[in-house]
Amino acid sequence: MAATQISLPLPVLPEGWSAPNDFKAIGTLSTPNQRNLEPVGPHFLAHARRKRHKRTFSEDERIQAQENVKKVEDEDAGDISETEDPLMLGRDAKDWKGQDHYAVLGLSKHRYRATDSQIKRAHRKKVLRHHPDKRAATGSSEDDSFFKCIQKAFEVLTDPTKRRQFDSVDENANVDPPSKKAASKSPSAFYKLWGPVFESEARFSKTQPVPKLGNDKSSKEDVEEFYNFWFNFESWRSFEYQDEDVPDDTENRDQKRHIERKNNNARKKKKTEDTARLRQLVDDCLAGDERIKKFKKEARAGKDKKKIEREAEEKRILEAAKHAKEEKERLLKEKEEAEKAEKAEGKKAKEAAKNAAKKNKRILKGSVKDANYLLPAGEEAGAKRIDDVLGDVEAAMGKIDNEELAALAGKLGGLKGAEEVGKVWQEEVRRLEGEGKLKSGEMKILGS
């Protein structure tokens, strides 16, 4: 390192100074030594950094500030690191009551559980990122509206009273109760879904700690303690945070008193509604708790064994009667089905007989037609002859049943000659006359 020579004038001696005459040596100077001095410390390091990177004072300070912000953000990343919603960044600072203070500071997942240390670190991180001076240095056109939201959120969450008021109406910290279907899916689902609900509601309890919901192995005493606590729940929850702002105009006192009364009534109404909501929530949980049913069943079994036996006997009798009734209905149904099948079979047989009768009648009519209406071959039958022969056939068929009709058709089947066919018909007519079904001479052609 090159040596630096500095020339400085000696100070002017005061008037009347007589040291050379009055000077008395009381010692000797030590032997001079030559030493190497090196510049150190933050200021020298800053000077060296500026020289190395060829920066001005303002440029170096800006870059160092950015690096410090990044360092803080990296240190705070994790439990207080959340993605910023673009809609939240554009919030109007005047609507501070409508903003989610925890979300503004990036503490959405902590909420009422956030510690003072976490709130301060989250605030510091947000300020370093959104401070107007920092934004201006980076050339951002963003206004300071969101920065005001950050400051308001920090103001509310660091004041115990204001934070308690905000936590009282923080709906985002609530856990919705499960549906009856979801809670009854499995034995463990009930406790898994209802447990967080009561843990969330427990933050409003004046008495701490709050009994836990437990599980299916919890004792009867623990379960009774849990429900007794919640049925007699004492909540500190208030709703001042949602009050309408009271004007500071002292001249308009009537308006101020009116708004105060209005706010008090609104708080009472919300408190009543919240109490009813919590009571309904406990009732719903109690209704689906299988442990209560189990305890009641065990109590009934221990207190009134005869009643259970009597109920079991009544159940057995009812089941026996039900079984007998079902058996009777089954036999009746089988009988009806058999009768129905028999009727259907009879109907089918009748249809078959009817079709057979129609076929046999066609054979009988066809027999006289094939036999040239009982005229010798070559002789043409006139209309009167045809009508007379067919009339006799119809009259004869009307006097015989299906079996006789089938027998007669069997005899006529295959016969073609007028003499053969006529002989068969004559025999049938005589039989019918002999049985009294036909009168003598009633047949015009077939009987002769």
Side-chain angles (χ1 to χ4, degrees):
M1 181 178 292
T4 303
Q5 184 176 1
I6 301 175
S7 298
L8 294 174
L10 295 174
V12 178
L13 296 175
E15 186 179 353
W17 185 72
S18 59
N21 300 325
D22 301 334
F23 178 76
K24 293 180 181 180
I26 58 175
T28 59
L29 295 175
S30 62
T31 306
N33 293 322
Q34 186 174 0
R35 300 177 183 275
N36 293 327
L37 300 178
E38 296 182 0
V40 295
H43 296 290
F44 172 75
L45 294 176
H47 169 74
R49 184 175 61 248
R50 290 192 296 271
K51 289 294 184 182
R52 180 182 178 185
H53 297 289
K54 298 179 181 179
R55 300 174 184 166
T56 63
F57 275 91
S58 60
E59 289 175 344
D60 188 64
E61 289 178 355
R62 176 174 56 81
I63 294 173
Q64 285 299 108
Q66 292 175 350
E67 291 178 355
N68 289 336
V69 169
K70 188 175 185 306
K71 183 179 179 181
V72 171
E73 290 178 349
D74 292 341
E75 290 175 354
D76 290 340
D79 61 337
I80 58 171
S81 178
E82 291 181 1
T83 303
E84 293 180 334
D85 185 359
L87 295 177
M88 183 177 63
L89 296 177
R91 285 195 60 86
D92 184 1
K94 294 180 181 178
D95 185 24
W96 62 271
K97 274 198 173 183
Q99 76 179 21
D100 184 347
H101 299 309
Y102 290 111
V104 168
L105 294 183
L107 296 169
S108 296
K109 62 183 179 181
H110 295 281
R111 298 200 169 275
Y112 63 91
R113 299 186 185 90
T115 63
D116 292 340
S117 174
Q118 288 174 325
I119 292 172
K120 290 176 182 177
R121 286 192 293 123
H123 174 254
R124 179 189 178 199
K125 177 180 177 181
K126 292 291 183 179
V127 167
L128 288 174
R129 179 178 295 179
H130 295 283
H131 195 281
D133 294 343
K134 195 256 183 182
R135 289 289 184 181
T138 57
S140 174
S141 59
E142 180 182 328
D143 59 17
D144 61 348
S145 181
F146 185 63
F147 180 75
K148 293 178 180 177
C149 293
I150 295 172
Q151 295 301 90
K152 192 64 182 181
F154 184 68
E155 175 193 335
V156 171
L157 298 183
T158 52
D159 185 310
T161 302
K162 292 181 180 179
R163 182 180 181 185
R164 191 179 181 92
Q165 291 175 354
F166 176 72
D167 287 341
S168 180
V169 297
D170 184 12
E171 299 294 337
N172 293 317
N174 294 342
V175 178
D176 293 331
S179 64
K180 185 177 180 181
K181 182 178 180 182
S184 60
K185 278 187 176 180
S186 65
S188 62
F190 177 85
Y191 310 103
K192 184 177 180 181
L193 296 175
W194 274 106
V197 175
F198 285 99
E199 289 177 8
S200 172
E201 296 292 338
R203 70 187 191 272
F204 300 124
S205 176
K206 291 181 179 180
T207 305
Q208 296 291 341
V210 176
K212 300 291 185 181
L213 177 62
N215 52 41
D216 57 345
K217 294 182 177 60
S218 298
S219 65
K220 181 180 179 182
E221 291 74 18
D222 291 340
V223 175
E224 289 179 347
E225 180 189 4
F226 172 81
Y227 284 108
N228 288 336
F229 178 87
W230 284 99
F231 278 124
N232 298 284
F233 187 75
E234 293 184 6
S235 172
W236 57 259
R237 190 176 191 184
S238 60
F239 298 89
E240 294 96 338
Y241 191 82
Q242 296 175 339
D243 282 355
E244 181 181 345
D245 293 334
V246 179
D248 295 330
D249 186 3
T250 55
E251 295 181 359
N252 196 350
R253 295 181 180 178
D254 291 339
Q255 177 67 12
K256 184 177 180 179
R257 284 194 291 268
H258 170 71
I259 295 177
E260 288 176 348
R261 285 195 300 270
K262 185 178 178 182
N263 287 336
N264 286 331
N265 293 334
R267 286 182 214 161
K268 291 178 182 178
K269 181 180 179 182
K270 291 173 183 176
K271 186 72 174 179
T272 302
E273 291 174 350
D274 184 64
T275 302
R277 176 195 65 81
L278 184 60
R279 180 56 186 260
Q280 184 61 49
L281 186 144
V282 178
D283 288 340
D284 292 342
C285 180
L286 179 66
D289 197 336
E290 292 295 329
R291 298 173 300 182
I292 302 299
K293 299 176 184 178
K294 182 182 71 173
F295 296 148
K296 288 182 178 180
K297 187 176 180 180
E298 290 174 353
R300 286 196 301 268
K303 291 180 181 179
D304 199 353
K305 185 177 179 181
K306 290 182 179 181
K307 182 180 178 181
I308 294 175
E309 292 175 352
R310 185 174 68 251
E311 289 176 351
E313 181 64 18
E314 291 175 354
K315 183 178 180 181
R316 186 190 65 77
I317 293 172
L318 288 174
E319 289 179 351
K322 182 181 178 181
H323 180 72
K325 183 180 179 181
E326 290 176 350
E327 183 67 16
K328 183 178 179 181
E329 290 176 351
R330 184 184 66 80
L331 294 175
L332 182 61
K333 185 177 180 181
E334 289 179 355
K335 182 180 178 181
E336 290 176 352
E337 290 178 351
E339 291 177 352
K340 188 176 180 181
E342 184 180 352
K343 186 181 292 185
E345 194 65 27
K347 185 177 180 181
K348 187 176 179 181
K350 286 182 180 179
E351 289 291 331
K354 185 176 179 181
N355 292 333
K358 288 181 180 180
K359 182 179 179 182
N360 291 331
K361 287 179 179 181
R362 287 196 298 271
I363 293 174
L364 266 56
K365 290 180 179 181
S367 66
V368 294
K369 181 180 179 182
D370 294 340
N372 196 24
Y373 299 99
L374 305 181
L375 291 175
E379 186 176 344
E380 184 177 356
K384 186 175 183 310
R385 176 73 180 189
I386 294 173
D387 289 341
D388 291 343
V389 173
L390 292 178
D392 288 349
V393 170
E394 289 287 349
M397 289 191 299
K399 303 298 183 179
I400 58 179
D401 56 26
N402 290 337
E403 291 181 0
E404 294 170 338
L405 192 63
L408 181 58
K411 293 178 182 179
L412 293 172
L415 299 180
K416 300 292 183 182
E419 185 177 351
E420 295 174 342
V421 172
K423 184 177 178 181
V424 172
W425 275 109
Q426 287 176 0
E427 291 176 356
E428 184 64 23
V429 169
R430 284 197 293 271
R431 185 185 70 79
L432 292 173
E433 288 176 350
E435 292 178 358
K437 294 180 180 180
L438 283 177
K439 295 180 181 179
S440 179
E442 187 176 346
M443 297 287 106
K444 297 178 180 179
I445 306 298
L446 297 182
S448 56

